[in-house]
Amino acid sequence: MTSASLVRGWCPDLFAPMAAKDGLLVRIRPPLGRLTAAQLHVVAEMAESGGNGVIELTNRANLQLRGFSPSSVSAARERAVKSGLTLADEAAERRSALIVSPLAGLDPECAADTLVCAQALRKTVAEAVDLAVLPGKFGFAVDGGGYFPTGLLAGDIVLRARNDGWAVCCGHATTEPASVMNAVGAAVRVARMVALRHPDRARPARIPETGLSLLEEAGLVACSLRVEAVRRPPTVGRLPEGTLGLAVPFGRMHVATLRTLADHLARCDDAVLRLTPWRSVVLAGPSLPGGTMLIDDPTDPRLRVQACTGPGGCARAQVDVAQDALALAMDVPRGRTLHVSGCPKGCAHPGRADVTLCAQSGGYDVIPDGRAGDMPWRSGVGREEIVALLRRLWKERPDVTGERRDA
Ligand code: SF4
């Protein structure tokens, strides 16, 4: 374990786990967000033998495993490297954070060279040792569009498909389209500019105004990027080309569910599970594996609520927010979102929700159309009053759409 370990604000991985109430927490970044059936079995075994058996889907298309000890993390890391789930080099692994259009290679509307672009970027970044000083949470995205339209994938540097090539997008700025390899080279040059700005270490995703100057310092001709709200299509249920989107409540599952997915995957023609940055997965199989917690109905009310791990996994959690969120799910109208957070940090949903309930010692803070840390509209609301208050809010705010683009 390195000196960076156990530091909050760091993106935890198998080299630098994060301490939580239920043990050490690690994340696995499967290459291009894809796993084979064999790799899923390895993850299930790691979670069961080294952790507490809980596997979470993250909004960076990673897998998060909980309940590890320092020795079980070391064993899991060795297995992950052998299985091709993690790079052997710690720094290269960390800078290879990359989100790729989940349907690349299947969706005919997604740019045909999306996977070529992603593979080239991953390889080039892994070899660029001078990028070791990038900020800890720095990440790339390769956005090929299609069913999931361009503009949905978030990252500090995003390679975005255009009709005539790939544009490099950084914060609120973009380049003109170029060939795949030229765009990959340009993206890495921009990343170098971010690294050079050390010690500021400002991420363009956090300070999008820096994008234009970063692109220009990298020697690129850049202009402002028109920021548009992009509506996300359903991620669960029937998706293009016979694929199936699946979710689990709060993105949290047990090893049994992961093994069911692995067994099902082994029977599919396209034997790869794709992780999305919306806490769901995509497989090419025609039907849902039975007897699991998997959700395949896009109208399932559990998809309208978000909640963090709660007191079982976090010392800051005041109440079992997942239980409260499930109890309230049936009352959330279609198209609306409810986030029930254990504290103002809002881990489960950093963006805005139609309504956010934030647990405090005297009850819930109620925040309409905001984030967990925002100024509440009502404070200290007890559980018994919440249902009536929420019904009033849904009625009074029919204009709120519930589908948002927040990262
Ligand atoms: S939102 Fe707060 S209570 Fe919930 S997991 Fe994050 S830090 Fe813990």
Side-chain angles (χ1 to χ4, degrees):
M1 206 178 304
T2 71
S3 59
S5 305
L6 316 184
V7 177
R8 282 210 175 265
W10 191 262
C11 229
D13 55 29
L14 283 161
F15 295 94
M18 181 181 283
K21 190 178 169 189
D22 54 352
L24 296 177
L25 175 159
V26 299
R27 283 185 199 149
I28 299 171
R29 302 181 189 95
L32 312 191
R34 287 141 188 261
L35 299 100
T36 63
Q39 287 174 323
L40 284 176
H41 278 300
V42 169
V43 174
E45 175 61 25
M46 282 161 53
E48 190 171 57
S49 62
N52 61 11
V54 173
I55 298 144
E56 296 169 322
L57 304 170
T58 79
N59 59 10
R60 290 181 170 225
N62 296 160
L63 294 174
Q64 180 164 287
L65 277 51
R66 311 186 66 103
F68 281 78
S69 67
S71 61
S72 67
V73 167
S74 299
R77 186 169 60 238
E78 272 179 37
R79 291 205 67 183
V81 171
K82 267 189 202 151
S83 311
L85 286 163
T86 300
L87 294 172
D89 181 87
E90 175 177 355
E93 165 63 19
R94 191 154 303 130
R95 63 180 176 266
S96 71
L98 169 63
I99 298 173
V100 184
S101 294
L103 294 180
L106 290 174
D107 177 3
E109 301 300 318
C110 183
D113 49 1
T114 301
L115 288 178
V116 171
C117 182
Q119 275 156 348
L121 181 63
R122 181 176 154 83
K123 183 172 183 293
T124 310
V125 169
E127 290 169 356
V129 290
D130 55 332
L131 295 184
V133 292
L134 282 172
K137 291 189 173 182
F138 190 91
F140 296 89
V142 174
D143 188 351
Y147 174 76
F148 295 118
T150 53
L152 276 181
L153 298 192
D156 291 289
I157 297 175
V158 182
L159 285 167
R160 194 173 286 176
R162 302 282 188 216
N163 287 338
D164 44 358
W166 289 85
V168 181
C169 304
C170 181
H172 286 167
T174 182
T175 65
E176 287 297 310
S179 68
V180 171
M181 294 319 292
N182 283 345
V184 166
V188 173
R189 289 209 301 280
V190 180
R192 281 199 180 101
M193 293 305 117
V194 178
L196 279 174
R197 285 192 176 184
H198 180 82
D200 299 342
R201 303 193 125 202
R203 291 178 49 213
R206 289 271 174 215
I207 311 177
E209 296 74 23
T210 60
L212 190 60
S213 61
L214 282 165
L215 291 175
E216 287 174 348
E217 284 166 27
L220 301 165
V221 177
C223 61
S224 293
L225 179 66
R226 209 171 46 180
V227 181
E228 295 170 351
V230 182
R231 194 170 183 85
R232 192 179 71 204
T235 57
V236 165
R238 291 278 155 225
L239 302 182
E241 302 301 304
T243 56
L244 183 66
L246 298 167
V248 282
F250 312 119
R252 217 165 286 140
M253 68 180 108
H254 200 265
V255 286
T257 303
L258 200 70
R259 286 197 171 113
T260 304
L261 278 170
D263 292 341
H264 185 74
L265 200 63
R267 295 192 289 273
C268 297
D269 291 341
D270 177 78
V272 176
L273 187 81
R274 294 163 166 80
L275 306 179
T276 81
W278 308 291
R279 293 200 175 114
S280 61
V281 300
V282 178
L283 48 77
S287 62
L288 173 69
T292 69
M293 289 294 284
L294 293 163
I295 301 170
D296 68 345
D297 177 0
T299 66
D300 191 308
R302 291 172 295 177
L303 296 174
R304 299 170 208 159
V305 292
Q306 300 280 355
C308 64
T309 182
C314 179
R316 291 177 69 176
Q318 317 238 356
V319 293
D320 189 341
V321 283
Q323 190 181 318
D324 283 353
L326 281 179
L328 293 167
M330 289 303 291
D331 269 313
V332 181
R334 271 181 86 165
R336 308 294 182 88
T337 52
L338 172 70
H339 174 200
V340 188
S341 183
C343 82
K345 197 172 172 201
C347 298
H349 187 68
R352 303 165 83 88
D354 287 321
V355 178
T356 298
L357 301 177
C358 182
Q360 300 289 0
S361 51
Y364 277 111
D365 280 357
V366 181
I367 304 139
D369 194 19
R371 298 174 171 84
D374 289 350
M375 184 69 76
W377 168 68
R378 292 275 194 280
S379 287
V381 182
R383 278 196 187 82
E384 59 290 350
E385 302 166 70
I386 288 284
V387 172
L389 196 78
L390 284 178
R391 283 183 183 156
R392 193 178 130 199
L393 275 174
W394 303 133
K395 211 169 156 189
E396 282 176 0
R397 295 167 179 259
D399 53 317
V400 182
T401 63
E403 286 285 348
R404 298 174 188 288
R405 195 190 165 276
D406 298 287

